[in-house]
Amino acid sequence: MSRREYTKTQQPSMGSSPIHYFPFTENATDVVGDWGTLNGNCSGFSEDGAYFNNNTGFDKSVNATNTEFTVIDFEFKVPAVYTSGVYTLLRAEFDNNAMINFYIAPDWGQELNVTVYSAANVYANLSLVTIPIIANTYHRITLRQNISSNSCDLFIDGVIRSSGNLCISSDKALQVMYIGRIQNSGKRLFNGHLRNLKFYDIELTNEQITQ
């Protein structure tokens, strides 16, 4: 698939075009932006997305000059509702110890752990204990950073579920992205599917996210 060539099911939604988009149906390549192909691997690609089976996952050194994005949007599904373990969906690391983490984390008493660090030990925890995760069903996760109000919102399946009182400022440069694992150590490997990973550089409205 070349850049900006989508099927109807892959067409970016929300009324605005993403600056980076990984359908994960054929490969791990950014089909609209300049991030190219991610490093690493998974168990395979299909119209159902990238399948991770506790293998290495992906990473990408970006070394940007700014934050790059304000919204992360993706879909995932798991083969079972996990009762133990910590599984990485996505982790974005910025300079000055800023980062964004997405985990499925029953070992921490949380079905979904989403944390935004604006600096070391300065964070907003958007973790949820009770959310409607259903096995073998795709769920859509959207994290919106509101730069103007220094806040962030977490949407699950188009419904806002949690908010925090900080965000990552635009001067914090994105350094590296991890998908399906953290760092290069093979820790917290994901088991499940992930698809339609999109990054936006504008503050989308509630209506754009829920449509």
Side-chain angles (χ1 to χ4, degrees), residues 43-120:
S43 292
F45 301 95
S46 70
E47 290 299 315
D48 213 21
Y51 174 51
F52 299 83
N53 186 18
N54 297 313
N55 46 20
T56 62
F58 297 108
D59 68 83
K60 183 67 177 181
S61 295
V62 179
N63 297 319
T65 58
N66 54 41
T67 305
E68 280 272 331
F69 59 84
T70 54
V71 174
I72 303 176
D73 183 77
F74 64 92
E75 298 171 284
F76 78 93
K77 72 175 179 179
V78 294
V81 177
Y82 300 123
T83 58
S84 64
V86 176
Y87 306 88
T88 303
L89 293 168
L90 186 147
R91 176 178 175 137
E93 295 183 356
F94 305 78
D95 58 10
N96 298 317
N97 297 303
M99 70 178 72
I100 299 174
N101 294 319
F102 297 82
Y103 298 135
I104 298 172
D107 274 5
W108 302 341
Q110 299 153 354
E111 291 183 58
L112 184 66
N113 176 286
V114 180
T115 308
V116 179
Y117 288 82
S118 62

Side-chain angles (χ1 to χ4, degrees), residues 101-160:
N101 294 319
F102 297 82
Y103 298 135
I104 298 172
D107 274 5
W108 302 341
Q110 299 153 354
E111 291 183 58
L112 184 66
N113 176 286
V114 180
T115 308
V116 179
Y117 288 82
S118 62
N121 300 316
V122 180
Y123 62 91
N125 192 328
L126 308 179
S127 302
L128 299 169
V129 175
T130 304
I131 58 175
I133 291 183
I134 303 171
N136 295 308
T137 299
Y138 262 108
H139 297 283
R140 179 179 162 213
I141 304 298
T142 309
L143 177 69
R144 177 182 64 193
Q145 298 195 91
N146 307 300
I147 305 299
S148 57
S149 60
N150 190 36
S151 62
C152 54
D153 301 308
L154 177 65
F155 294 76
I156 300 176
D157 296 329
V159 178
I160 189 167

